[in-house]
PDB file of all heavy atoms in Angstrom:
ATOM      1  N   PRO A 365     -19.796  26.901  -5.474  1.00  0.00           N
ATOM      2  CA  PRO A 365     -18.896  27.630  -4.548  1.00  0.00           C
ATOM      3  C   PRO A 365     -19.746  28.650  -3.609  1.00  0.00           C
ATOM      4  O   PRO A 365     -20.657  29.186  -4.122  1.00  0.00           O
ATOM      5  CB  PRO A 365     -18.087  28.338  -5.443  1.00  0.00           C
ATOM      6  CG  PRO A 365     -17.966  27.597  -6.712  1.00  0.00           C
ATOM      7  CD  PRO A 365     -19.411  27.093  -6.824  1.00  0.00           C
ATOM      8  N   THR A 366     -19.292  28.766  -2.532  1.00  0.00           N
ATOM      9  CA  THR A 366     -19.985  29.798  -1.501  1.00  0.00           C
ATOM     10  C   THR A 366     -19.316  31.108  -1.913  1.00  0.00           C
ATOM     11  O   THR A 366     -18.478  31.332  -2.773  1.00  0.00           O
ATOM     12  CB  THR A 366     -19.674  29.452  -0.062  1.00  0.00           C
ATOM     13  OG1 THR A 366     -18.169  29.382   0.044  1.00  0.00           O
ATOM     14  CG2 THR A 366     -20.052  28.082   0.152  1.00  0.00           C
ATOM     15  N   SER A 367     -19.726  32.158  -1.192  1.00  0.00           N
ATOM     16  CA  SER A 367     -19.243  33.476  -1.466  1.00  0.00           C
ATOM     17  C   SER A 367     -17.792  33.652  -1.250  1.00  0.00           C
ATOM     18  O   SER A 367     -17.059  34.502  -1.794  1.00  0.00           O
ATOM     19  CB  SER A 367     -20.002  34.549  -0.572  1.00  0.00           C
ATOM     20  OG  SER A 367     -19.829  34.198   0.866  1.00  0.00           O
ATOM     21  N   SER A 368     -17.271  32.725  -0.484  1.00  0.00           N
ATOM     22  CA  SER A 368     -15.682  32.723  -0.066  1.00  0.00           C
ATOM     23  C   SER A 368     -14.867  32.059  -1.221  1.00  0.00           C
ATOM     24  O   SER A 368     -13.820  32.089  -1.254  1.00  0.00           O
ATOM     25  CB  SER A 368     -15.343  32.145   1.256  1.00  0.00           C
ATOM     26  OG  SER A 368     -15.715  30.849   1.249  1.00  0.00           O
ATOM     27  N   GLY A 369     -15.623  31.321  -2.141  1.00  0.00           N
ATOM     28  CA  GLY A 369     -15.108  30.722  -3.172  1.00  0.00           C
ATOM     29  C   GLY A 369     -14.727  29.202  -2.982  1.00  0.00           C
ATOM     30  O   GLY A 369     -14.233  28.562  -3.705  1.00  0.00           O
ATOM     31  N   ILE A 370     -15.030  28.774  -1.786  1.00  0.00           N
ATOM     32  CA  ILE A 370     -14.721  27.350  -1.376  1.00  0.00           C
ATOM     33  C   ILE A 370     -15.876  26.660  -1.009  1.00  0.00           C
ATOM     34  O   ILE A 370     -16.703  27.127  -0.124  1.00  0.00           O
ATOM     35  CB  ILE A 370     -13.751  27.304  -0.113  1.00  0.00           C
ATOM     36  CG1 ILE A 370     -12.391  28.070  -0.443  1.00  0.00           C
ATOM     37  CG2 ILE A 370     -13.453  25.834   0.355  1.00  0.00           C
ATOM     38  CD1 ILE A 370     -11.407  28.058   0.755  1.00  0.00           C
ATOM     39  N   PRO A 371     -16.185  25.465  -1.686  1.00  0.00           N
ATOM     40  CA  PRO A 371     -17.441  24.838  -1.388  1.00  0.00           C
ATOM     41  C   PRO A 371     -17.534  24.405   0.073  1.00  0.00           C
ATOM     42  O   PRO A 371     -16.425  24.038   0.556  1.00  0.00           O
ATOM     43  CB  PRO A 371     -17.466  23.580  -2.334  1.00  0.00           C
ATOM     44  CG  PRO A 371     -16.443  24.002  -3.410  1.00  0.00           C
ATOM     45  CD  PRO A 371     -15.436  24.877  -2.717  1.00  0.00           C
ATOM     46  N   VAL A 372     -18.605  24.286   0.632  1.00  0.00           N
ATOM     47  CA  VAL A 372     -18.795  23.852   2.045  1.00  0.00           C
ATOM     48  C   VAL A 372     -19.416  22.402   1.941  1.00  0.00           C
ATOM     49  O   VAL A 372     -20.327  22.069   1.412  1.00  0.00           O
ATOM     50  CB  VAL A 372     -19.883  24.748   2.738  1.00  0.00           C
ATOM     51  CG1 VAL A 372     -20.015  24.100   4.158  1.00  0.00           C
ATOM     52  CG2 VAL A 372     -19.252  26.144   2.868  1.00  0.00           C
ATOM     53  N   PHE A 373     -18.585  21.546   2.585  1.00  0.00           N
ATOM     54  CA  PHE A 373     -19.022  20.109   2.646  1.00  0.00           C
ATOM     55  C   PHE A 373     -19.475  19.710   4.112  1.00  0.00           C
ATOM     56  O   PHE A 373     -18.728  20.166   4.969  1.00  0.00           O
ATOM     57  CB  PHE A 373     -17.869  19.244   2.209  1.00  0.00           C
ATOM     58  CG  PHE A 373     -17.405  19.418   0.822  1.00  0.00           C
ATOM     59  CD1 PHE A 373     -16.123  20.274   0.660  1.00  0.00           C
ATOM     60  CD2 PHE A 373     -17.938  19.021  -0.308  1.00  0.00           C
ATOM     61  CE1 PHE A 373     -15.739  20.459  -0.645  1.00  0.00           C
ATOM     62  CE2 PHE A 373     -17.571  19.344  -1.595  1.00  0.00           C
ATOM     63  CZ  PHE A 373     -16.341  20.106  -1.700  1.00  0.00           C
ATOM     64  N   SER A 374     -20.249  18.822   4.218  1.00  0.00           N
ATOM     65  CA  SER A 374     -20.691  18.459   5.507  1.00  0.00           C
ATOM     66  C   SER A 374     -19.741  17.346   6.055  1.00  0.00           C
ATOM     67  O   SER A 374     -18.902  16.744   5.201  1.00  0.00           O
ATOM     68  CB  SER A 374     -22.162  17.728   5.482  1.00  0.00           C
ATOM     69  OG  SER A 374     -22.159  16.540   4.614  1.00  0.00           O
ATOM     70  N   TRP A 375     -19.720  17.005   7.262  1.00  0.00           N
ATOM     71  CA  TRP A 375     -18.881  16.057   7.754  1.00  0.00           C
ATOM     72  C   TRP A 375     -19.071  14.536   7.022  1.00  0.00           C
ATOM     73  O   TRP A 375     -18.149  13.938   6.780  1.00  0.00           O
ATOM     74  CB  TRP A 375     -19.091  15.935   9.239  1.00  0.00           C
ATOM     75  CG  TRP A 375     -18.477  16.856  10.101  1.00  0.00           C
ATOM     76  CD1 TRP A 375     -18.479  18.177   9.792  1.00  0.00           C
ATOM     77  CD2 TRP A 375     -17.706  16.691  11.373  1.00  0.00           C
ATOM     78  NE1 TRP A 375     -17.882  18.915  10.890  1.00  0.00           N
ATOM     79  CE2 TRP A 375     -17.434  18.041  11.738  1.00  0.00           C
ATOM     80  CE3 TRP A 375     -17.366  15.637  11.986  1.00  0.00           C
ATOM     81  CZ2 TRP A 375     -16.546  18.267  12.946  1.00  0.00           C
ATOM     82  CZ3 TRP A 375     -16.667  15.953  13.258  1.00  0.00           C
ATOM     83  CH2 TRP A 375     -16.298  17.205  13.625  1.00  0.00           C
ATOM     84  N   TRP A 376     -20.518  14.338   6.756  1.00  0.00           N
ATOM     85  CA  TRP A 376     -20.770  13.116   6.207  1.00  0.00           C
ATOM     86  C   TRP A 376     -20.351  13.124   4.731  1.00  0.00           C
ATOM     87  O   TRP A 376     -19.814  12.005   4.297  1.00  0.00           O
ATOM     88  CB  TRP A 376     -22.317  12.879   6.268  1.00  0.00           C
ATOM     89  CG  TRP A 376     -22.749  11.780   5.368  1.00  0.00           C
ATOM     90  CD1 TRP A 376     -23.446  11.817   4.195  1.00  0.00           C
ATOM     91  CD2 TRP A 376     -22.491  10.277   5.706  1.00  0.00           C
ATOM     92  NE1 TRP A 376     -23.613  10.530   3.760  1.00  0.00           N
ATOM     93  CE2 TRP A 376     -23.124   9.645   4.613  1.00  0.00           C
ATOM     94  CE3 TRP A 376     -21.718   9.707   6.604  1.00  0.00           C
ATOM     95  CZ2 TRP A 376     -23.111   8.254   4.549  1.00  0.00           C
ATOM     96  CZ3 TRP A 376     -21.802   8.366   6.587  1.00  0.00           C
ATOM     97  CH2 TRP A 376     -22.373   7.597   5.602  1.00  0.00           C
ATOM     98  N   GLU A 377     -20.380  14.072   3.941  1.00  0.00           N
ATOM     99  CA  GLU A 377     -19.847  14.268   2.563  1.00  0.00           C
ATOM    100  C   GLU A 377     -18.346  13.880   2.572  1.00  0.00           C
ATOM    101  O   GLU A 377     -17.883  13.198   1.826  1.00  0.00           O
ATOM    102  CB  GLU A 377     -20.160  15.458   2.049  1.00  0.00           C
ATOM    103  CG  GLU A 377     -21.654  15.682   1.676  1.00  0.00           C
ATOM    104  CD  GLU A 377     -21.797  17.070   0.994  1.00  0.00           C
ATOM    105  OE1 GLU A 377     -21.382  17.974   1.552  1.00  0.00           O
ATOM    106  OE2 GLU A 377     -22.648  17.072  -0.032  1.00  0.00           O
ATOM    107  N   ILE A 378     -17.635  14.577   3.465  1.00  0.00           N
ATOM    108  CA  ILE A 378     -16.185  14.370   3.513  1.00  0.00           C
ATOM    109  C   ILE A 378     -15.833  12.914   3.884  1.00  0.00           C
ATOM    110  O   ILE A 378     -14.999  12.195   3.210  1.00  0.00           O
ATOM    111  CB  ILE A 378     -15.509  15.397   4.606  1.00  0.00           C
ATOM    112  CG1 ILE A 378     -15.690  16.777   4.156  1.00  0.00           C
ATOM    113  CG2 ILE A 378     -14.182  15.016   4.871  1.00  0.00           C
ATOM    114  CD1 ILE A 378     -15.365  17.739   5.171  1.00  0.00           C
ATOM    115  N   PHE A 379     -16.453  12.374   4.852  1.00  0.00           N
ATOM    116  CA  PHE A 379     -16.165  11.049   5.342  1.00  0.00           C
ATOM    117  C   PHE A 379     -16.539   9.965   4.275  1.00  0.00           C
ATOM    118  O   PHE A 379     -15.792   9.092   3.911  1.00  0.00           O
ATOM    119  CB  PHE A 379     -16.909  10.701   6.614  1.00  0.00           C
ATOM    120  CG  PHE A 379     -16.698   9.284   7.082  1.00  0.00           C
ATOM    121  CD1 PHE A 379     -15.497   8.985   7.638  1.00  0.00           C
ATOM    122  CD2 PHE A 379     -17.735   8.419   7.076  1.00  0.00           C
ATOM    123  CE1 PHE A 379     -15.264   7.774   8.194  1.00  0.00           C
ATOM    124  CE2 PHE A 379     -17.581   7.130   7.510  1.00  0.00           C
ATOM    125  CZ  PHE A 379     -16.359   6.733   8.039  1.00  0.00           C
ATOM    126  N   TRP A 380     -17.656  10.169   3.515  1.00  0.00           N
ATOM    127  CA  TRP A 380     -18.297   9.197   2.661  1.00  0.00           C
ATOM    128  C   TRP A 380     -17.399   9.174   1.356  1.00  0.00           C
ATOM    129  O   TRP A 380     -16.944   8.159   1.000  1.00  0.00           O
ATOM    130  CB  TRP A 380     -19.701   9.625   2.217  1.00  0.00           C
ATOM    131  CG  TRP A 380     -20.257   8.815   1.146  1.00  0.00           C
ATOM    132  CD1 TRP A 380     -20.499   9.254  -0.140  1.00  0.00           C
ATOM    133  CD2 TRP A 380     -20.612   7.494   1.138  1.00  0.00           C
ATOM    134  NE1 TRP A 380     -21.084   8.192  -0.862  1.00  0.00           N
ATOM    135  CE2 TRP A 380     -21.171   7.015  -0.099  1.00  0.00           C
ATOM    136  CE3 TRP A 380     -20.603   6.478   2.223  1.00  0.00           C
ATOM    137  CZ2 TRP A 380     -21.583   5.777  -0.421  1.00  0.00           C
ATOM    138  CZ3 TRP A 380     -20.960   5.098   1.919  1.00  0.00           C
ATOM    139  CH2 TRP A 380     -21.469   4.775   0.696  1.00  0.00           C
ATOM    140  N   HIS A 381     -17.052  10.404   0.806  1.00  0.00           N
ATOM    141  CA  HIS A 381     -16.290  10.272  -0.481  1.00  0.00           C
ATOM    142  C   HIS A 381     -14.865   9.876  -0.088  1.00  0.00           C
ATOM    143  O   HIS A 381     -14.307   9.215  -1.000  1.00  0.00           O
ATOM    144  CB  HIS A 381     -16.344  11.814  -1.029  1.00  0.00           C
ATOM    145  CG  HIS A 381     -17.697  12.233  -1.575  1.00  0.00           C
ATOM    146  ND1 HIS A 381     -18.261  11.614  -2.757  1.00  0.00           N
ATOM    147  CD2 HIS A 381     -18.606  13.022  -1.112  1.00  0.00           C
ATOM    148  CE1 HIS A 381     -19.354  12.191  -3.065  1.00  0.00           C
ATOM    149  NE2 HIS A 381     -19.614  12.968  -1.972  1.00  0.00           N
ATOM    150  N   SER A 382     -14.264  10.301   0.894  1.00  0.00           N
ATOM    151  CA  SER A 382     -12.896   9.867   1.237  1.00  0.00           C
ATOM    152  C   SER A 382     -12.818   8.506   1.500  1.00  0.00           C
ATOM    153  O   SER A 382     -11.896   7.622   1.187  1.00  0.00           O
ATOM    154  CB  SER A 382     -12.389  10.690   2.402  1.00  0.00           C
ATOM    155  OG  SER A 382     -12.198  12.103   2.061  1.00  0.00           O
ATOM    156  N   GLY A 383     -13.892   7.989   2.244  1.00  0.00           N
ATOM    157  CA  GLY A 383     -13.914   6.465   2.434  1.00  0.00           C
ATOM    158  C   GLY A 383     -14.069   5.654   1.190  1.00  0.00           C
ATOM    159  O   GLY A 383     -13.492   4.654   1.111  1.00  0.00           O
ATOM    160  N   LEU A 384     -14.792   6.249   0.205  1.00  0.00           N
ATOM    161  CA  LEU A 384     -14.952   5.543  -1.045  1.00  0.00           C
ATOM    162  C   LEU A 384     -13.590   5.414  -1.761  1.00  0.00           C
ATOM    163  O   LEU A 384     -13.253   4.320  -2.365  1.00  0.00           O
ATOM    164  CB  LEU A 384     -15.989   6.235  -1.862  1.00  0.00           C
ATOM    165  CG  LEU A 384     -17.435   6.073  -1.526  1.00  0.00           C
ATOM    166  CD1 LEU A 384     -18.375   6.829  -2.459  1.00  0.00           C
ATOM    167  CD2 LEU A 384     -17.880   4.602  -1.555  1.00  0.00           C
TER     168      LEU A 384
END
Side-chain angles (χ1 to χ4, degrees):
T366 62
S367 58
S368 63
I370 302 179
V372 176
F373 303 98
S374 67
W375 286 42
W376 171 247
E377 286 177 315
I378 294 171
F379 178 71
W380 173 252
H381 290 288
S382 299
L384 286 179

